[in-house]
Amino acid sequence: MKDDYHRQQVDIGDEQEIHLRDYLKVIRKRLPIIIAILVLVALASIVKVFTAVPIYSASTQVLVERNYGTRGLSQDYYRYEPEFLDTQSALIRSVNVGRRVVDKLDLTGRYRSLFIPEREERKPSFLAEVKKTVKGWIKNALSFVLSADKPPTGVAGMDGELPEIEPLTEEEMFARMVSGGLLVTPVPNTKIVSISYSHTNPVMAQMVANAVVQAYMDEILEIKVATSSYQLQWMTAKADQEREKLERAERALQQYMRDNDLVTVENRLSVSPQKLTEFSSQLSRAEAERKEVEALLAQIREAGDDFDKLENIPVFAENKVLKDLREKTYKARQNITDLSKKFGPKHPTMIKAQEEIDNLQKERRFEVQRVVSSTQNAYQLADSKARNLQELIDETKSEILDLNEKFIQYSILKREVDSSRMLFDTLQTSIKQEGVTEQSQSVNIWVVKEADMPMAPSHPNKRRTVLLGIILGLFGGVGLAFLIEYLDNTVKSEAELERRYGITVLGSVEMLGKPEDHIESYVVRHPLSPLAESYRLVRSSLLLSSAEKPPGVILITSMMQEEGKTATTINLARILAQTGKKVVVIDGDLRRPRMHTLFKMRLDNGLSSYLTGNSPKPAIVPVPGEDVALLTSGPKPPNPAELLSSKKMVELLQSLRQQFDFVLIDSPPVQSVTDGLALSKIADGTIVVVRFGKTTYELLNGGLKKLADVRGNILGFVLNGLKQRDARGYYYGYTSTYASDDKKA
């Protein structure tokens, strides 16, 4: 049983599908609350409508757009400004515009009585006195807090006392009233702004609405003039500073040009690169020539004194003198060869021919030596030429660097002069432009529609206010009804009981409508009433609660007092006895017994007498005029829980099972004492009586847990005290039928 109970508790918090009929049921149940809230709110709205002071509203429309001027004077001729109308709307509602309206209409003088109507002095109401008293308390409390937080005298940076706040003047208060009563609304997707003003006097509403437009235009123009004047002053002072700065820069540039002779700097700076280029070309050729001569000298040195190798060098081979000497030597040698055939070596002709060859060899050696000397001189000349050109290039580079440094400094000074001149010219142009546009407005304003005198009040709208009050009252009442229903955690339906705990509801018992109808005897006096039929349904469910046979010993209990367990016990016993069953009722409530009172019997001898041994056998007495027997509780014992859980109580129930078909035990509430828990352990089953709209789920959770802990067998619930409007549907239409039959009987 305990495990089943805990398993059933898992689904308690599961969401349940809510149908429309459930909402309608809640509304029907809480209908008096809904009607009361509806009536109260509707009456309040009606009273408010017919007691409120009528308010008249006058509206004017103006076209507001940015003045971009001409293209020549303004660079941003078109510019997207999404916040423009919002800015202008805030400016219209400003206190400055309100002051201009007050001055223009002379609201503090001529039209003061129209702007603030004088009312007859009357004694303040009780509510006004209370408000005045509360405000005084708040003011005193704030004064105390400020005095407590005031810094002490002598603290550095503090004067010691807070400055007093000067009260607003009447003109300032009227200006704030005007600005606070304005309603400025930009018309969507246009540049038109609607300006509305509401007042109790329609004439004043029209006058203020029209005066606001002119005050707004004057404010825009004053802002423009003030801004232009400030800009002109600033730009003029800035232009004077830039003029002085430009003059200093020009003088510095002129002095630098004079000191560094920069008149010819640009010409020299353009010629020097050309000279450097020419010198570089000549140096390249000179170095090539030097390397060529140097290579030739290396070949000559390598050949040494070998004239044959020297003559193979191109400079020697191509020498014309050496060519002639080689030809002459060749011919002389051919001549000696020819002569040697005729003469001997010592012949004068041969000697002369040999001398000719020797002379040619001398000339050859002389010419070779001359070419070598010439080559050496050419190398020295080429090397000297290359060194001279390198020196010229270095001098030219140094000169160019010096000129560049001077020119860079010159460019810096010239750039400063140009920048100062440009800024000065820009300021001069801006000053001229601002002077031209000083008196023009930055915002163009045209009145599209002037305010007309309102003929009917705009507030309150009686029909709309009453209708809104009815709607709010209806929704407020329904909302309050559902809130109360949500906060109501009591048992209100069979379906919810079965869903939460998985325990069968044996039946529901309707509450009797009249106080004088006693439920304990109503079944006897009205056997065909719906109440009797509800107990018959409980009997049928009880007889079908077990597969083999119905439980014989049944404990009937509840969570708390006054939930109807005693009445349920009596009426269920009578209904069971109508089927011919033998039924005995035991008053198991030894602390606060009621059975003897209801059946008008004595309490001298009863259950407590038998359990304590003061009576040899239980005093079971038939109820006069009924087929039910009763065992009263007897005198109140000091230890009822011990008596009910004793072995003798078990034996008594075993004995009664043999004598009666049903034994019904009325026990104390489970949440009050443990008597019912002791009896639930020895009974065949327990019926838990639940009071509609009284028994809470918290109590039921705790009581069922206690019964589960002692392994009590719960047969089901009996939902008691069901109101007639909530009982519809439980009896499937039997209410009207049985009521009519009962009246006939």
Side-chain angles (χ1 to χ4, degrees), residues 279-309:
F279 290 155
S280 298
S281 300
Q282 293 179 10
L283 177 62
S284 298
R285 291 192 295 269
E287 287 181 345
E289 182 180 355
R290 183 179 63 182
K291 287 184 178 296
E292 182 179 355
V293 177
E294 185 178 3
L296 181 60
L297 285 176
Q299 291 179 350
I300 292 172
R301 293 190 187 95
E302 183 180 358
D305 295 334
D306 190 348
F307 291 100
D308 293 331
K309 289 183 177 181

Side-chain angles (χ1 to χ4, degrees), residues 517-587:
D517 293 335
H518 299 287
I519 190 172
E520 295 85 358
S521 59
Y522 195 84
V523 175
V524 177
R525 292 183 284 108
H526 304 280
L528 298 179
S529 63
L531 183 66
E533 182 61 28
S534 64
Y535 282 109
R536 292 187 180 95
L537 292 175
V538 175
R539 179 191 65 190
S540 300
S541 301
L542 182 62
L543 294 176
L544 298 174
S545 60
S546 298
E548 298 179 357
K549 63 176 182 178
V553 179
I554 303 172
L555 176 68
I556 301 175
T557 186
S558 63
M559 298 296 107
M560 297 297 292
Q561 298 177 4
E562 299 180 357
E563 291 182 340
K565 61 178 181 58
T566 301
T568 301
T569 304
I570 294 173
N571 291 328
L572 185 57
R574 288 168 175 164
I575 294 298
L576 289 172
Q578 291 178 1
T579 61
K581 302 292 184 180
K582 297 177 64 177
V583 181
V584 62
V585 176
I586 300 177
D587 192 353

Side-chain angles (χ1 to χ4, degrees), residues 66-81:
R66 168 77 68 182
N67 182 10
Y68 291 104
T70 62
R71 293 181 182 271
L73 297 178
S74 180
Q75 299 297 326
D76 52 349
Y77 187 73
Y78 294 107
R79 186 170 59 188
Y80 177 63
E81 292 182 306

Side-chain angles (χ1 to χ4, degrees), residues 401-432:
L401 290 176
D402 184 56
L403 291 175
N404 282 334
E405 290 180 358
K406 293 181 179 180
F407 190 75
I408 288 173
Q409 185 63 30
Y410 167 77
S411 300
I412 292 173
L413 294 174
K414 191 173 185 304
R415 186 164 53 249
E416 184 176 356
V417 170
D418 295 339
S419 176
S420 299
R421 181 178 290 111
M422 182 181 298
L423 181 57
F424 176 72
D425 294 341
T426 303
L427 287 172
Q428 289 295 109
T429 303
S430 299
I431 291 173
K432 294 178 181 179

Side-chain angles (χ1 to χ4, degrees), residues 78 94 124 222 228 623 660 730:
Y78 294 107
S94 65
E222 183 173 342
S228 299
V623 178
F660 296 91
Y730 283 116

Side-chain angles (χ1 to χ4, degrees), residues 254-274:
Q254 187 67 26
Q255 185 65 33
Y256 183 80
M257 293 177 63
R258 184 182 299 107
D259 295 341
N260 293 276
D261 191 19
L262 292 183
V263 177
T264 61
V265 166
E266 293 186 3
N267 294 332
R268 293 165 60 190
L269 194 61
S270 61
V271 172
S272 295
Q274 297 178 0

